[in-house]
Amino acid sequence: MPTGLIAAIDTTDPQRARALASAIAPHCGMLKLGLEFFLANGGAGVRLIDDLPVFLDLKLHDIPNTVAGGVRAVLPLAPRLLTLHAAGGAAMIAAARKAAETAGPARPLLLAVTVLTSLDAEALHATGVAGGPRQQVLRLARLALDHGADGLVCSAHEVAMLRDALGAGPLLVVPGIRPAGAAIGDQARTMTPRDAARAGADWLVVGRPITEAADPAAAAAAIAAEIEG
Ligand code: C5P
């Protein structure tokens, strides 16, 4: 499967989200709505974004029963992808998968977040994790995939290592993408769309380089072309 483009629409304003979705949709395969949009607008807001399948990035993390209830609660919105924290453990991930399966074959695919890319080695150590970030990413990736996750959210710099260790099976969805020359913002370790696609990512998630461009549609089209090229 060729690498696809997901545009992250990070705003609390439903009108802005609607306008961005209309402009960008022809150049993307999916649109990502995250915590800020969901907390501000709820399910009714998600339903406004009907141009493309939706990646609902809620990074669920709670006891298994509560996460399962959360997954069931969003099933009527029919997200294509849904995130949860692998650190929630085997039982939480299994409960989420069981809940997702009640939607049948069109169920959302579950993506596990391993180590947040905002945590460096020192910050991770301070949380009580003894090994380094790569070791912890791999440990949590295996745990998540063994208990029902369909794939992982990971840094572009982890794709090759994860493909080596885990094979072609897991869906790898990669944020922290910056076209050459784009502002890096708060993303620490970025990669260009072309390099991330070549490394083996299934989907690239791009936010501000599209949403803050003077012409978001043109920016999305250029990134899509770079992925294909
Ligand atoms: O604007 P930018 O391209 O940095 O947006 C990246 C998107 O991916 C944001 O919605 C952010 O929440 C999300 N994300 C991330 N890093 C992760 C996981 C998700 O940047 N490790």
Side-chain angles (χ1 to χ4, degrees), residues 31-44:
L31 298 171
K32 180 171 96 73
L33 299 172
L35 208 50
E36 70 181 283
F37 183 83
F38 190 74
L39 292 179
N41 301 293

Side-chain angles (χ1 to χ4, degrees), residues 115 120-136 139:
V115 177
D120 60 14
E122 195 187 340
L124 186 64
H125 192 248
T127 69
V129 172
R134 284 172 81 88
Q135 205 182 331
Q136 183 68 356
R139 177 200 298 266

Side-chain angles (χ1 to χ4, degrees), residues 8-10 32 34 57 59 113 115-118 153-155 175-178 184 186-187 205-209 211:
I9 300 182
D10 291 317
K32 180 171 96 73
D57 187 15
K59 297 190 176 70
V113 174
V115 177
L116 292 172
T117 47
S118 52
V153 178
C154 65
S155 146
I177 299 297
R178 288 293 178 269
I184 285 179
D186 57 1
Q187 294 283 10
V205 178
V206 183
R208 288 161 290 179
T211 57

Side-chain angles (χ1 to χ4, degrees), residues 84-212:
L84 74 184
H85 273 281
M92 187 202 81
I93 297 158
R97 173 67 180 254
K98 198 169 164 205
E101 284 190 348
T102 63
R107 72 171 173 87
L109 299 177
L110 299 178
L111 299 178
V113 174
T114 58
V115 177
L116 292 172
T117 47
S118 52
L119 295 177
D120 60 14
E122 195 187 340
L124 186 64
H125 192 248
T127 69
V129 172
R134 284 172 81 88
Q135 205 182 331
Q136 183 68 356
V137 165
L138 199 51
R139 177 200 298 266
L140 288 175
R142 289 204 165 104
L143 175 84
L145 296 167
D146 284 350
H147 292 90
D150 299 284
L152 304 163
V153 178
C154 65
S155 146
H157 296 273
E158 294 160 357
V159 170
M161 179 230 354
L162 290 170
R163 283 279 176 241
D164 269 359
L166 307 168
L171 204 59
L172 297 184
V173 176
V174 177
I177 299 297
R178 288 293 178 269
I184 285 179
D186 57 1
Q187 294 283 10
R189 297 176 70 225
T190 63
M191 199 178 274
T192 64
R194 178 175 298 138
D195 289 346
R198 285 190 184 151
D202 294 295
W203 292 95
L204 306 185
V205 178
V206 183
R208 288 161 290 179
I210 294 174
T211 57
E212 292 181 4

Side-chain angles (χ1 to χ4, degrees), residues 27-54:
H27 310 291
C28 303
M30 229 183 283
L31 298 171
K32 180 171 96 73
L33 299 172
L35 208 50
E36 70 181 283
F37 183 83
F38 190 74
L39 292 179
N41 301 293
V46 176
R47 286 183 205 279
L48 290 175
I49 308 304
D50 56 0
D51 314 64
L52 285 174
V54 165

